[in-house]
Amino acid sequence: MNSLTYRTYQPGDENGIISLWNDCITGDPITPLRFRKLVLLDPNFDSEGLRIAESDGRIVGVLYALRRRLPMIGTDLEPEHGWITFFCTDPAVRRQGVGTRLLREGESFLRQHGRSKVFFSSYAPNYIVPGMDAERYPEGHAFLTMHGYTRNYTAVAMDRSLTDFQIPQDVAELKRQREQEGYSFTLAQDRDLVELIAFATDVFNPDWGRAIREGLLQQLRLEQILIARDQGKLVGFCLHGAYEGVAERFGPFGVDPSQQGKGIGKILLYDCLALKRAQGLHGSWFLWTGEQSPAGHLYRRAGFHVTRRFDIMSRSL
């Protein structure tokens, strides 16, 4: 093998990156369409952060580092933070320092832009996975650990088959009881949207508001969004199909903290699963929740099971 060269992304690299990705990151394959949307068209894309190792004209290593150039909300550019969202090297060049050099180049790029902390890989809006799946990618996890990355927390992905789904009688009864108390549970309408996006953004996460807004500009339909109100006040929402237009992907989903403990989230969750089943979908899944969080326990009781665990990792630069 000839000597390796290192450089930044150049137009025309796409097929080589995707080919290497699918050879190496076998648990999370990608298509040219997804690569285009999640990387090239990301509002924070900077070719200087997409680092390439090349041998004989073939891409044998890649790492993507980025920082926020467009605020998620207001003017907040999270000036201290940067992210690495994916990396991989061809097995033929592993343990030759290729990954280490790409990592150091990516970290240097972030440091040059004033970043003092880097995360793998909890970047919004266009993360591929929430963090490192140590079970699926033990070498990747060991690589980050060797270079000083430590676990901040662990997120879980969960799945549920819908082939046998029915709303339990106790949930149906709870819904009737809440409706008698003045709650309503309806499909979203245009008149709900401004309030819904503000609620998702301000009460929960700016990325949730963005996902709803951008989803509706693309494939998301109002018939995929459920709204809960208490005496007319919006107190919760639940939807599917917001992320990349994948109908079986659940979320975002939230209930006003002041309303928690009343079963509003349970009603919304089961109604959304029933909605998905009525559309002919056979499954429901999401990538990110806390296993021992209230939401995690709610999902388990609704028949979801953990399918993957992701360590959100970081280090100081």
Side-chain angles (χ1 to χ4, degrees), residues 156-303:
V156 296
M158 303 181 82
D159 287 61
R160 189 205 196 283
S161 170
L162 296 178
T163 56
D164 63 347
F165 178 79
Q166 296 182 46
I167 294 181
Q169 187 59 39
D170 65 309
V171 177
E173 180 55 40
L174 175 64
K175 181 178 179 181
R176 285 191 289 270
Q177 180 182 340
R178 292 291 175 258
E179 288 174 334
Q180 290 170 2
E181 296 168 355
Y183 288 87
S184 63
F185 303 90
T186 62
L187 291 174
Q189 300 182 43
D190 285 321
R191 66 189 183 195
D192 298 308
L193 296 183
V194 172
E195 187 180 7
L196 169 62
I197 292 169
F199 179 77
T201 298
D202 298 339
V203 177
F204 296 99
N205 187 317
D207 185 46
W208 288 9
R210 177 209 61 82
I212 296 169
R213 182 179 62 253
E214 293 185 5
L216 285 165
L217 288 169
Q218 299 174 40
Q219 307 97 329
L220 181 63
R221 306 189 310 274
L222 289 177
E223 294 81 7
Q224 294 169 266
I225 304 173
L226 292 163
I227 300 289
R229 293 184 177 275
D230 178 14
Q231 309 294 334
K233 178 186 177 183
L234 194 152
V235 296
F237 66 96
C238 187
L239 62 147
H240 71 96
Y243 297 105
E244 300 185 63
V246 178
E248 292 194 342
R249 185 168 175 179
F250 177 80
F253 163 41
V255 174
D256 192 309
S258 68
Q259 293 279 338
Q260 291 176 6
K262 300 179 181 180
I264 307 306
K266 178 188 291 187
I267 295 166
L268 285 170
L269 172 59
Y270 278 90
D271 276 357
C272 191
L273 296 179
L275 183 65
K276 295 174 79 171
R277 187 68 189 100
Q279 294 169 17
L281 301 178
H282 280 214
S284 186
W285 63 273
F286 57 86
L287 277 176
W288 196 333
T289 195
E291 186 171 4
Q292 300 303 324
S293 68
H297 291 297
L298 173 62
Y299 291 129
R300 281 190 181 276
R301 290 192 296 270

Side-chain angles (χ1 to χ4, degrees), residues 63 84 87 99-100 103-104 107 118-120 131-135 137-154 310-316:
L63 179 141
I84 291 169
F87 62 88
T100 296
L103 179 63
R104 294 304 179 222
E107 291 175 341
V118 56
F119 293 87
F120 185 91
M132 178 58 70
D133 182 341
E135 180 178 354
Y137 306 114
E139 288 184 291
H141 192 276
F143 174 78
L144 289 178
T145 300
M146 179 180 69
H147 287 93
Y149 286 75
T150 58
R151 183 181 71 89
N152 293 33
Y153 58 94
T154 299
F310 301 98
D311 288 345
I312 286 76
M313 305 176 76
S314 68
R315 76 177 293 261
S316 298

